[in-house]
Amino acid sequence: MIFLFIFWLILFFPIIFLSNPLFDDTIEEFYPNFYFITEQLKNLKLPSFNPYFFSGHPVINSVHLFELNPLFLIRNFIGIFNNSIYVFNLIISLNYLIALIFSYLYFKKLKFKNEISIFGSIIFTFSTCYIFTIIHPHTYDFIPFVPLVLYFLDDKPYLSALFMGFAFHSGHPQKPIYLLILIFIIFFFKILENKREIFKFILFLIVFLPFVLSFYFQGIDLFAISKRVESDLKFLLEMSYHFDRIITLIIPKFYGSVENEYVGGPYYFYTEMTFYFSIIGLLLAIYGSLKNYKDKFVLSLIVSSILLFLLALGDQNVIIKLLYESGIVKGVRGLARALFIYPIIISILACYGLNSLLKEKSLKQINYIILIFLLIFILFLPLVPKEIDISDEIFKFFIFLAISYVLIYGFLKKILSEKLFLYSVLLLTFFDLYLISGSYLKIRRFENVYSYYSPNFVNQLKPNSLGEYRINSRFYKGLALARNSGSINKLELIEGYEPLASKFYTAFHDYIVNRKEGFENLLKMANVKFYITDRGFLELENYLPRAYIVHCVKVIKDSFEFFSNAKNLGPQRCVYLSQKPSKIYNLEKNYENVKILKYNPSEILLEYNINEDGILVLSINYYPYWKAKLNDKEVKILRANWTFMAVEVPKGKNVVKFYYDMRKFFISLGFWVLGIILSLIKAEGLISQN
């Protein structure tokens, strides 16, 4: 345990002692959302809807932001008392310490020596850390549960299902789905050996099912209008693990580096395609597979790794390509993420390999494996883009390969004692992974991290109250303010980042970013007062208020009709609906004001007094779960100006209430609790029997 703690301390030293925060999505999305959530909880409010970015976005129903996950809930509880970015990053790093401990205990359960168990936990946790913390920082809530799912699978499948259920609520649902594939294959081989294992499998499914239903009710309505589920073959091609990149398992910077943008594709492509398990770890994993493939458990890992790799190939997999072309399969994003389960598979196989090396003491197969390594390296080296200098990585590859061989050779020739050999392997593995994982912690250093969210000019832009106006902080591809920073500095931004972005708002926002003719009308519709240009922030004249009433309706068929006519739109006189209202509105006069009685993230109370029937427009993003009432009677919400909300209102003095309905979330919470209860009932039943 001391070894694990020291390794963890070294890797996360910049965070713990230098207050150097993790970067990328952690800084730009997840910390601002953590801040918003904890600020809401401080005020005894459920964080249902974040109004500070993307014209408002669901929080409590988003499977990416308010996961029903014990580690996530603990983090938010701590955040109530201290939600500084230092505490946030410290909690992230602590999750990796937990993952080290849980994986160590799992390898001990597999009857491996202490040193081998430490070896496996280092490979699992720190190879995972490299990939996930850079581009998928919220995955820290998934990592610690993986070894626990496997730990209880044999004798307590109900507890395995419980932790599998927790893992299912950790964002990016692909990860637990791919882990589930591994679990199913393990059960398949167990049932082949002993048919009674099918009862354990059924028990696993019974306890796990409520968590699946919980996830379903938490986000199903958001997936229905999500941009992220609209995939085509071109997108699939972009996000597949291409076979010519297999060298990335050996040289992690083969297709770029964290410091330099990936040549020939997007930045996230490199970070998602690159998996690195240390040279000696990968060598021993291959050796362990060859020596132990007759073991049903090892065989299940080998079969799983092959299947997951075939899935990750995406469009290169003939079956998947046919399914996509047929239209049977839709919405699978980033099949390369099937490789996210590789760290646990490689770490287990590496432990088997190291254990076999201690027992069999054979150098012949090791020689063959190293020759294959070198052959793969030589075959794929010509594919390195000329723009990328990986000479340092090639040097490291040969150094670590040579040291690995010297250690194995020295041990097998009895030059090294077993203890010295094992400790040398541990240190070499950690050092190899540290050179990759540790480097990213030093790349982006903030002298004052809060100035990143609140630069000096922010105070000049701050509105008097929530719901007054928004800011378009993007000039073409440049951002004057960090994405989602409004959650901290209280500016309501048009720009933001959320994986389950509304497909309606995404089209609207893309048009604003491209600044095509007529985009000023779109800015007006979005209640934008300030927008960034090459001359700094400019104030938009005659911008529309957050809520107003018009008496003219024009029905639009599709996005093309709406956006292609942007320069001719008259949003101050007419509203453009995506469906016909109950009556005809054709009075083209200037908008009438609405009085805001109450405005908070989950409830908006409006009062108006008009002489003719009209349409009340509210420029909050059109999302499921929003409901509206006119004088306490529920009315239908219409999609207005392509992405916002509107309701039909009668003449006279009336009150309209928009509120965020959380019933689906409480249904989700109920299923989540049911899964916990089922696992505890089974555990109690077994205790009583004993």
Side-chain angles (χ1 to χ4, degrees):
M1 290 294 185
I2 292 173
F3 270 103
L4 296 176
F5 181 76
I6 291 172
F7 288 144
W8 170 80
L9 203 62
I10 292 171
L11 185 67
F12 288 98
F13 183 89
I15 285 178
I16 300 167
F17 297 104
L18 301 179
S19 301
N20 190 20
L22 297 168
F23 64 93
D24 215 310
D25 285 356
T26 312
I27 288 273
E28 293 197 336
E29 181 189 10
F30 294 100
Y31 175 67
N33 275 298
F34 165 76
Y35 187 88
F36 170 77
I37 289 168
T38 51
E39 287 294 308
Q40 288 289 102
L41 293 175
K42 280 182 186 180
N43 296 317
L44 302 179
K45 295 177 181 178
L46 282 175
S48 56
F49 199 80
N50 189 338
Y52 294 108
F53 70 100
F54 255 24
S55 297
H57 195 280
V59 177
I60 204 166
N61 290 94
S62 173
V63 295
H64 288 270
L65 302 177
F66 200 80
E67 300 87 346
L68 288 172
N69 179 309
L71 296 177
F72 194 96
L73 298 176
I74 291 169
R75 182 183 350 131
N76 288 337
F77 178 76
I78 295 171
I80 293 173
F81 302 97
N82 188 332
N83 57 10
S84 68
I85 197 164
Y86 174 74
V87 168
F88 180 73
N89 282 272
L90 184 62
I91 295 169
I92 293 174
S93 64
L94 284 171
N95 278 6
Y96 287 99
L97 179 60
I98 296 170
L100 278 169
I101 294 169
F102 286 168
S103 53
Y104 168 78
L105 294 174
Y106 171 59
F107 292 125
K108 286 291 293 178
K109 188 177 183 180
L110 292 177
K111 302 294 193 287
F112 292 125
K113 291 175 177 286
N114 276 330
E115 296 84 358
I116 296 177
S117 298
I118 295 171
F119 171 67
S121 62
I122 288 171
I123 294 174
F124 166 68
T125 306
F126 294 148
S127 62
T128 304
C129 177
Y130 168 53
I131 298 302
F132 287 166
T133 308
I134 292 177
I135 201 67
H136 296 297
H138 52 341
T139 308
Y140 43 61
D141 288 326
F142 173 74
I143 293 169
F145 293 117
V146 175
L148 289 180
V149 170
L150 295 174
Y151 185 93
F152 293 108
L153 198 61
D154 281 335
D155 48 357
K156 297 181 178 67
Y158 50 91
L159 290 181
S160 178
L162 174 68
F163 292 115
M164 184 70 216
F166 291 159
F168 211 73
H169 286 272
S170 57
H172 277 298
Q174 298 103 315
K175 302 187 305 292
I177 289 173
Y178 296 134
L179 178 60
L180 204 57
I181 290 173
L182 171 62
I183 301 304
F184 284 175
I185 292 174
I186 291 173
F187 266 120
F188 174 76
F189 282 98
K190 286 163 67 73
I191 292 168
L192 285 181
E193 266 193 319
N194 181 359
K195 291 184 179 179
R196 291 187 61 83
E197 291 289 326
I198 196 169
F199 296 107
K200 290 184 179 180
F201 179 59
I202 292 170
L203 179 59
F204 177 92
L205 292 178
I206 289 172
V207 176
F208 180 59
L209 181 60
F211 292 102
V212 177
L213 293 173
S214 175
F215 181 88
Y216 175 85
F217 282 104
Q218 186 180 351
I220 187 61
D221 292 316
L222 295 186
F223 279 112
I225 66 163
S226 169
K227 178 70 174 177
R228 301 295 280 271
V229 300
E230 293 183 352
S231 299
D232 54 25
L233 276 174
K234 182 181 178 183
F235 188 73
L236 180 64
L237 173 69
E238 194 176 274
M239 295 297 292
S240 300
Y241 186 89
H242 283 215
F243 192 73
D244 63 351
R245 292 163 178 79
I246 197 168
I247 199 173
T248 58
L249 298 170
I250 302 171
I251 301 183
K253 292 189 180 180
F254 176 63
Y255 271 93
S257 69
V258 176
E259 294 92 339
N260 301 299
E261 189 174 349
Y262 163 70
V263 177
Y267 164 68
Y268 64 74
F269 186 89
Y270 156 68
T271 51
E272 292 201 8
M273 299 312 112
T274 305
F275 287 78
Y276 189 66
F277 310 105
S278 81
I279 296 298
I280 195 166
L282 198 54
L283 279 172
L284 291 172
I286 296 169
Y287 183 74
S289 301
L290 294 173
K291 286 291 183 182
N292 299 275
Y293 69 90
K294 292 182 180 179
D295 182 301
K296 288 293 190 292
F297 177 61
V298 173
L299 184 59
S300 66
L301 295 174
I302 295 169
V303 171
S304 297
S305 64
I306 294 170
L307 179 59
L308 291 170
F309 187 78
L310 290 175
L311 282 172
L313 290 176
D315 66 295
Q316 299 163 105
N317 185 318
V318 176
I319 297 174
I320 291 179
K321 189 170 183 178
L322 285 173
L323 288 173
Y324 260 76
E325 287 176 341
S326 68
I328 296 173
V329 175
K330 292 181 180 179
V332 179
R333 181 177 182 269
L335 282 170
R337 292 175 184 172
L339 299 187
F340 281 5
I341 309 305
Y342 262 48
I344 190 65
I345 294 174
I346 296 295
S347 60
I348 297 171
L349 292 176
C351 285
Y352 273 95
L354 186 53
N355 192 57
S356 296
L357 200 64
L358 296 181
K359 290 179 180 179
E360 305 209 6
K361 301 184 178 180
S362 170
L363 192 62
K364 186 176 180 181
Q365 282 183 310
I366 292 291
N367 288 334
Y368 287 141
I369 293 169
I370 288 179
L371 285 173
I372 292 170
F373 253 56
L374 289 170
L375 181 61
I376 292 173
F377 176 77
I378 293 168
L379 287 174
F380 285 93
L381 197 58
L383 298 173
V384 178
K386 293 179 181 179
E387 298 88 344
I388 297 176
D389 179 15
I390 62 164
S391 54
D392 289 344
E393 298 304 313
I394 294 171
F395 177 73
K396 288 177 189 175
F397 165 71
F398 279 114
I399 289 294
F400 279 106
L401 190 63
I403 294 174
S404 300
Y405 186 76
V406 167
L407 285 176
I408 294 170
Y409 182 86
F411 169 67
L412 295 180
K413 295 300 180 180
K414 298 184 179 179
I415 300 171
L416 295 175
S417 67
E418 183 176 296
K419 283 287 184 183
L420 182 58
F421 170 67
L422 287 173
Y423 287 134
S424 299
V425 168
L426 282 179
L427 291 172
L428 180 65
T429 305
F430 174 74
F431 186 59
D432 192 354
L433 287 165
Y434 175 77
L435 287 179
I436 304 303
S437 301
S439 62
Y440 74 83
L441 292 170
K442 307 178 186 70
I443 289 168
R444 183 182 291 181
R445 180 68 187 269
F446 292 92
E447 294 300 325
N448 179 5
V449 72
Y450 287 101
S451 67
Y452 180 67
Y453 303 111
S454 298
N456 293 330
F457 60 80
V458 160
N459 287 329
Q460 302 171 23
L461 303 172
K462 280 190 175 177
N464 295 316
S465 61
L466 187 66
E468 188 175 348
Y469 58 79
R470 295 195 179 93
I471 295 170
N472 174 29
S473 61
R474 183 186 294 271
F475 176 67
Y476 289 101
K477 293 186 178 181
L479 280 171
L481 292 161
R483 298 183 303 177
N484 299 10
S485 62
S487 300
I488 297 170
N489 58 41
K490 305 308 177 189
L491 296 177
E492 293 185 69
L493 305 178
I494 282 293
E495 283 75 27
Y497 177 82
E498 165 53 36
L500 296 179
S502 160
K503 60 185 177 183
F504 304 124
Y505 186 75
T506 302
F508 191 93
H509 177 256
D510 286 347
Y511 200 96
I512 290 178
V513 172
N514 291 327
R515 304 259 168 137
K516 294 179 181 177
E517 191 176 8
F519 88 99
E520 295 90 349
N521 282 329
L522 302 184
L523 291 177
K524 290 179 182 179
M525 292 176 181
N527 183 220
V528 172
K529 180 178 181 180
F530 295 105
Y531 65 102
I532 186 68
T533 71
D534 52 355
R535 292 174 289 162
F537 276 101
L538 295 185
E539 186 171 345
L540 184 69
E541 295 182 3
N542 303 317
Y543 67 94
L544 288 167
R546 182 62 51 90
Y548 58 93
I549 292 175
V550 292
H551 304 275
C552 167
V553 169
K554 294 184 179 179
V555 179
I556 53 171
K557 293 182 295 185
D558 51 35
S559 60
F560 177 79
E561 182 181 356
F562 180 71
F563 293 112
S564 63
N565 195 39
K567 66 179 180 180
N568 298 319
L569 299 177
Q572 67 274 16
R573 297 183 304 277
C574 290
V575 62
Y576 302 87
L577 300 180
S578 300
Q579 60 193 109
K580 288 184 179 180
S582 63
K583 56 188 297 185
I584 295 173
Y585 301 88
N586 55 16
L587 179 60
E588 290 196 34
K589 69 174 187 177
N590 211 33
Y591 71 87
E592 297 190 69
N593 288 313
V594 170
K595 184 178 181 181
I596 298 177
L597 302 178
K598 182 179 181 180
Y599 197 107
N600 64 44
S602 59
E603 186 179 357
I604 299 161
L605 203 61
L606 307 169
E607 184 182 71
Y608 70 88
N609 191 355
I610 55 176
N611 296 321
E612 300 95 6
D613 296 347
I615 304 289
L616 189 153
V617 182
L618 178 64
S619 66
I620 289 182
N621 207 357
Y622 179 85
Y623 267 110
Y625 312 119
W626 276 104
K627 305 288 183 182
K629 289 184 177 180
L630 174 68
N631 299 330
D632 293 326
K633 184 179 179 181
E634 192 162 319
V635 290
K636 183 180 180 181
I637 294 178
L638 306 170
R639 182 156 58 89
N641 295 338
W642 190 249
T643 189
F644 302 115
M645 297 193 290
V647 294
E648 295 182 71
V649 291
K651 62 184 179 182
K653 186 176 181 180
N654 296 286
V655 173
V656 177
K657 176 182 177 182
F658 288 86
Y659 64 98
Y660 194 81
D661 185 5
M662 292 183 287
R663 283 177 293 184
K664 281 281 182 71
F665 170 74
F666 288 115
I667 293 172
S668 174
L669 180 62
F671 278 114
W672 188 76
V673 172
L674 176 61
I676 297 174
I677 292 172
L678 285 175
S679 63
L680 295 179
I681 288 174
K682 187 60 186 175
E684 178 65 28
L686 289 180
I687 292 171
S688 300
Q689 288 177 17
N690 292 332

